[in-house]
Amino acid sequence: MSKAGSILKTAVLRLLALAVVAAIGYGGYLFFGPVPRASDEPPDSTHDLETLCWYQRRYYPTVDAYQGPAPHPIQIFEESDSQVSDPGWSPARVRQSLPKHWNRKHDDPTSVQLVACVEIADEGPRIGECRFRGRPIPMYQGRYRATLYEVRTGEKVAEVDDILGRKDFEESMCPAMHVWREDKEPRLLSTPDAAEYQRVFGRYVDG
């Protein structure tokens, strides 16, 4: 084989090897999901901790570790019930009072050890309705599941199922606005109250 042919063969083999590695990497990404990334900066506010709930999770190595005696401060984020393709996350809409280490507005976000990402799992019975510009939109009891992550490492601490939204409807539960797609019937979901969150997360926060 000529020198030129040998160089061409080597180049082709290298390209094939790179293609195989890329295919394996992409397949792993699809199968296992993206790898969590460390943030270069500490969280400026509790809103920054929402990144633990993103598909490409981001964690904060400079914050307090989830270890030692309780309490373990927690920040709870709920998946929005807006009926769009990417509804997003927001701090838990808990109207009842909670102990300070459960407070959604922590004075020092670097003290937060846990983040709970509460996802919509299903809807229960209809409990009431809200009106937007005169249009009635039914509210159903929300049913949720959650994943708890350590803020410092991004590692999963626990998965929790069977989390229930409020079943006692009040007009104060109606949001200021709601978004839905034209091809869907609008609906709203109730969210868990303070007692429910303490029931399902208490062993990790206060235990």
Side-chain angles (χ1 to χ4, degrees):
M1 181 182 295
S2 67
K3 184 176 181 181
S6 177
I7 292 174
L8 178 61
K9 181 180 179 180
T10 300
V12 169
L13 289 175
R14 286 179 178 175
L15 287 173
L16 287 174
L18 288 173
V20 169
V21 171
I24 292 174
Y26 184 66
Y29 178 88
L30 292 178
F31 188 79
F32 296 105
V35 177
R37 295 180 301 167
S39 174
D40 295 331
E41 301 291 336
D44 289 329
S45 70
T46 50
H47 286 282
D48 290 340
L49 302 178
E50 178 191 328
T51 58
L52 270 294
C53 298
W54 291 359
Y55 184 64
Q56 174 71 69
R57 293 198 311 280
R58 185 176 302 166
Y59 57 94
Y60 298 86
T62 59
V63 307
D64 295 342
Y66 176 58
Q67 61 184 20
H72 303 286
I74 189 171
Q75 177 71 27
I76 303 171
F77 291 98
E78 296 169 344
E79 181 183 19
S80 170
D81 64 355
S82 294
Q83 295 163 275
V84 294
S85 57
D86 186 15
W89 300 86
S90 59
R93 293 167 286 176
V94 178
R95 293 174 173 81
Q96 303 81 13
S97 60
L98 280 166
K100 187 175 182 180
H101 56 282
W102 288 78
N103 192 336
R104 67 178 184 176
K105 295 181 180 179
H106 296 277
D107 295 332
D108 179 11
T110 64
S111 70
V112 181
Q113 299 176 12
L114 292 172
V115 158
C117 305
V118 181
E119 300 178 84
I120 297 169
D122 200 357
E123 61 185 46
R126 177 169 173 160
I127 61 173
E129 69 177 30
C130 302
R131 302 188 73 87
F132 293 88
R133 297 183 179 179
R135 177 173 182 172
I137 296 181
M139 177 176 284
Y140 299 88
Q141 183 183 27
R143 292 179 176 170
Y144 303 87
R145 58 178 173 266
T147 305
L148 276 68
Y149 296 102
E150 182 182 16
V151 178
R152 184 184 180 92
T153 64
E155 293 183 0
K156 184 188 300 183
V157 173
E159 292 182 340
V160 182
D161 296 314
D162 300 321
I163 305 172
L164 300 178
R166 291 180 58 182
K167 62 180 180 179
D168 51 335
F169 176 78
E170 297 176 2
E171 287 190 5
S172 61
M173 295 163 62
C174 294
M177 62 177 293
H178 182 62
V179 181
W180 66 92
R181 295 202 322 238
E182 291 185 1
D183 60 340
K184 286 192 174 185
E185 284 296 319
R187 62 95 179 94
L188 294 159
L189 298 176
S190 67
T191 54
D193 60 13
E196 179 70 355
Y197 277 138
Q198 287 180 296
R199 180 185 74 84
V200 297
F201 297 150
R203 59 181 295 190
Y204 307 103
V205 179
D206 295 317

